[in-house]
Amino acid sequence: MTVPRALILVVEDELQMRKFIRASLTSHGYRILEATSANEAMMLMTTQNPDLILLDLGLPDADGIDLTKQIREWSSVPILIISARGREDDKVLALDAGADDYITKPFGVNELLARIRVAERHARGVGNSPLAQILEFGEIKIDMNRREITRSTETIHLTPIEYKLLVLLALHAGKVLTHRQILKEVWGLSYVDQPHYVRVHMAELRKKIEIDPSRPKLIVTEPGVGYRLRE
Ligand code: CA
């Protein structure tokens, strides 16, 4: 017997887009629910308990960012924004509001499926569990019990801030973290308007963990938005 795939709530008012998503997801075994407004989405959220939400930002009765904030007040369900708004500010707003990821329209089936898989892994807590005390990314190994970072057999010495930065990114591997989220987690709420802190310390961290810090392979910059650690 096969395990039923995730139930995905698609919140999108454009018919063509909904058709495309429906075809892409159902052909890969996902079960889907469709909503064309924020109101309908909230109704389905509370009655059907979906595993993941694909959310368009421009809805007829509300903005997707407000809906994200509303959902985040009581649910940690993964929210993937699908939007034609491709500006950095829009992405940052959505991620800061609590969205897990952001896909700019137009996008292909494969990208959509890949981002859904990442969100599902996070939701299941793979590599993100407090019990997973050793995290590995390529040659880099983070031993959270011993607070020790190694590349192959060589120990890498990080400052406490660099260590916090790396662990934060590692616990959210594959997911974009905004400058604001990083500042809040590593430095505290009163530092959220100091993005240069992140830039300076990220540069130092990259010098230590990247083979070629000028062409980072591990910690990827999402220009104007934040950083993502590659899984
Ligand atoms: Ca729309």
Side-chain angles (χ1 to χ4, degrees):
M1 205 181 84
T2 51
V3 181
R5 297 293 291 271
L7 178 63
I8 299 181
L9 170 59
V10 181
V11 188
E12 167 65 78
D13 57 330
E14 278 167 63
L15 178 63
Q16 284 309 107
M17 196 62 185
R18 263 199 334 274
K19 277 187 175 167
F20 163 72
I21 294 173
R22 182 196 306 150
S24 310
L25 297 186
T26 52
S27 68
H28 286 82
Y30 288 102
R31 295 171 298 142
I32 71 163
L33 294 165
E34 296 177 32
T36 56
S37 67
N39 262 332
E40 221 181 312
M42 277 312 255
M43 206 265 289
L44 289 171
M45 258 303 287
T46 49
T47 55
Q48 307 291 315
N49 196 24
D51 300 304
L52 189 143
I53 303 181
L54 286 180
L55 176 60
D56 176 37
L57 289 184
L59 294 169
D61 56 343
D63 192 87
I65 299 212
D66 293 329
L67 185 59
T68 301
K69 286 183 190 157
Q70 225 177 313
I71 293 170
R72 277 293 169 262
E73 284 173 15
W74 52 277
S75 170
S76 59
V77 63
I79 301 176
L80 265 68
I81 303 291
I82 41 168
S83 177
R85 299 182 202 162
R87 293 187 315 139
E88 291 167 17
D89 291 358
D90 294 315
K91 294 183 188 176
V92 170
L93 265 176
L95 294 166
D96 277 344
D100 292 86
D101 207 347
Y102 197 109
I103 313 174
T104 309
K105 293 174 187 170
F107 50 81
V109 180
N110 290 335
E111 180 179 12
L112 177 65
L113 292 170
R115 303 281 189 107
I116 288 174
R117 284 194 299 271
V118 169
E120 285 185 292
R121 278 202 296 280
H122 283 138
R124 281 198 305 269
V126 176
N128 192 8
S129 146
L131 297 173
Q133 300 289 9
I134 295 183
L135 304 171
E136 286 185 74
F137 302 91
E139 292 189 314
I140 301 287
K141 191 158 115 184
I142 307 169
D143 184 333
M144 291 166 67
N145 280 330
R146 302 165 140 198
R147 291 181 71 92
E148 195 178 76
I149 315 290
T150 46
R151 181 195 288 124
S152 308
T153 55
E154 171 202 359
T155 302
I156 298 175
H157 298 284
L158 299 182
T159 66
I161 290 283
E162 290 158 5
Y163 178 82
K164 274 171 101 175
L165 265 179
L166 181 60
V167 168
L168 178 68
L169 288 165
L171 290 175
H172 298 89
K175 185 177 153 178
V176 194
L177 292 177
T178 64
H179 295 112
R180 210 178 157 82
Q181 287 168 328
I182 296 171
L183 285 159
K184 193 171 126 220
E185 295 297 327
V186 175
W187 282 271
L189 205 51
S190 48
Y191 290 85
V192 292
D193 295 320
Q194 312 283 338
H196 59 280
Y197 276 53
V198 181
R199 277 197 300 275
V200 169
H201 291 274
M202 197 62 81
E204 292 303 314
L205 175 60
R206 277 173 165 163
K207 275 186 209 160
K208 295 179 182 178
I209 66 162
E210 297 281 357
I211 307 270
D212 178 358
S214 64
R215 272 192 292 270
K217 289 271 185 337
L218 212 53
I219 300 174
V220 188
T221 303
E222 297 280 335
V225 178
Y227 299 89
R228 182 201 299 264
L229 186 79
R230 280 223 180 102
E231 288 189 287

